[in-house]
Amino acid sequence: MEGASILQVNELTQTQLLSLFALASDLETGRRTASRALEGVIVLTAFFEPSTRTRLSFESAAHRSGASVISVPDGRVSSVHKGESLADTGVMLNSYADIVVLRHPSGTALDDIRATRLNIPLINGGNGCAEHPTQAMADWYALHKRCADRDGAEIPLRPGRRRSLGVIGTPRRMRALRSFLLMGAVHFPHLLREVTVVSEDPQPLDAELAKALADASLPVVCTADLRQHVGRFDIVYQNSLTLVGTEYEVFDSAFRIDGDTPLKPDALVMHPLARLSELGADLDGTPHNLYFDQADGAVFVRQALLLAVAGRLDRIRRSDPEDLG
Ligand code: CP
């Protein structure tokens, strides 16, 4: 992956993802250390849309490996706000950084910033409603870890029990849900038995998503009746907030998940966060809660990704067993 740009889920292979998950797990548990592996590398986070988790976890990941970090934390403080094109901005970035992580409300921003001459690796931190591939990596990493814990297995998970997945929201309009489903259909269909989409939108999937799920031979049900189906779900992925143009709107707010929802006793509840009223805080202290794991593990998945893209995997060291206790 050295020098690669990470723009969308289908550019990654299953082998790459599982290697990154294994490395992330080793970094998270301290089995391997990469504390100086990115020394001399400059990571630029360019965020033209609000973020807590994505920007800060990338920056934390970079700092944990000794990279330097520079940031455009808000598009209004860059010259794009004065009318400069993203293409011209991209040309400048070549001189200022070695890797750029971009978030932008436009689905075409990745093409726009590469239109003239952006030579350094570009990582998509969320582009409009289109994709959020590193969120999907954090999501599937969290799922692999929790399922491995429950099954007494190791990461990567081997094909075993297939799970019923319910996604609540409108994937064609929600980039985190969209990338999560694409990654599941393309790379991890062997972990799924069926997919149910609970949405007020009668056509919640776009053509690419529908094809990916069909190609994976996953049965798909689209419904607006949460209570009829929720008791069947092993995994519930909830989301409501989405971009419409440059503004945020709440979709599918009728489908709240909380402690009164008749979930399966061992159901895992996922959410990319930020949450509003669609996800009750009364689930936070329960074993259903996978959403905080998604956010926590994102640092290590993104650290693994930065190390791979920077070509610094050879600088990762096994920890001294005595340090692990
Ligand atoms: N999940 C996610 O993308 O969160 P932020 O918008 O806070 O980065």
Side-chain angles (χ1 to χ4, degrees):
M1 300 178 74
E2 181 173 354
S5 288
I6 309 298
L7 307 182
Q8 52 194 37
V9 158
N10 67 10
E11 292 169 345
L12 295 156
T13 67
Q14 188 200 62
T15 303
Q16 287 171 336
L17 288 168
L18 293 178
S19 298
L20 291 171
F21 293 172
L23 174 54
S25 172
D26 283 353
L27 294 167
E28 187 169 6
T29 56
R31 283 192 294 264
R32 283 193 273 176
T33 177
S35 57
R36 301 176 64 175
L38 289 176
E39 273 184 354
V41 173
I42 300 175
V43 175
L44 166 60
T45 53
F47 276 58
F48 293 83
E49 196 197 298
S51 168
T52 296
R53 281 148 292 272
T54 309
R55 185 169 68 83
L56 295 181
S57 64
F58 262 114
E59 294 184 2
S60 175
H63 282 295
R64 283 164 193 257
S65 284
S68 301
V69 177
I70 55 177
S71 186
V72 178
D74 177 343
R76 286 172 300 186
V77 302
S78 84
S79 288
V80 172
H81 194 58
K82 294 187 281 190
E84 186 170 32
S85 68
L86 274 180
D88 278 359
T89 306
V91 176
M92 307 305 132
L93 301 188
N94 293 321
S95 310
Y96 303 156
D98 300 297
I99 298 172
V100 58
V101 183
L102 177 72
R103 169 173 289 189
H104 199 285
S106 167
T108 64
L110 301 169
D111 290 334
D112 295 344
I113 201 166
R114 299 197 306 169
T116 311
R117 187 175 61 86
L118 178 71
N119 299 326
I120 58 176
L122 173 65
I123 298 178
N124 181 3
N127 61 323
C129 297
E131 282 244 23
H132 197 351
T134 66
Q135 176 68 45
M137 290 169 60
D139 296 343
W140 282 97
Y141 172 59
L143 257 181
H144 273 70
K145 268 195 312 185
R146 183 70 69 89
C147 294
D149 278 353
R150 284 185 173 179
D151 298 352
E154 293 283 316
I155 290 179
L157 283 180
R158 298 290 162 217
R161 187 165 77 85
R162 288 172 176 250
R163 292 156 178 90
S164 170
L165 169 65
V167 298
I168 304 173
T170 305
R172 72 181 177 86
R173 311 190 72 132
M174 298 175 174
R175 63 189 175 209
L177 263 188
R178 197 167 181 277
S179 287
F180 175 75
L181 270 181
L182 279 172
M183 191 170 281
V186 174
H187 300 302
F188 304 118
H190 54 280
L191 302 180
L192 299 175
R193 186 171 71 247
E194 57 176 2
V195 175
T196 302
V197 181
V198 182
S199 172
E200 290 167 341
D201 187 326
Q203 287 193 308
L205 303 175
D206 56 77
E208 184 187 3
L209 261 178
K211 182 176 183 313
L213 291 162
D215 288 350
S217 302
L218 284 168
V220 178
V221 172
C222 296
T223 178
D225 189 340
L226 176 63
R227 288 193 84 81
Q228 183 191 343
H229 296 275
V230 71
R232 201 177 68 245
F233 301 152
D234 300 302
I235 304 162
V236 183
Y237 197 115
Q238 169 72 302
N239 196 190
S240 75
L241 205 55
T242 193
L243 267 176
V244 178
T246 55
E247 301 298 322
Y248 291 94
E249 284 190 22
V250 172
F251 279 59
D252 306 300
S253 58
F255 306 122
R256 178 177 161 88
I257 295 284
D258 60 22
D260 294 329
T261 307
L263 296 165
K264 280 178 93 164
D266 61 351
L268 296 174
V269 176
M270 305 182 73
H271 195 301
L273 305 177
R275 72 170 153 195
L276 300 177
S277 61
E278 77 281 3
L279 176 61
D282 55 350
L283 290 175
D284 292 0
T286 73
H288 295 302
N289 176 356
L290 195 66
Y291 37 93
F292 288 161
D293 285 13
Q294 292 166 252
D296 292 345
V299 174
F300 302 100
V301 166
R302 288 174 172 141
Q303 188 180 10
L305 182 65
L306 290 174
L307 289 161
V309 168
R312 296 289 179 88
L313 294 175
D314 59 334
R315 301 196 187 191
I316 300 168
R317 301 278 171 256
R318 293 240 153 245
S319 299
D320 187 334
E322 289 188 8
D323 293 342
L324 292 173

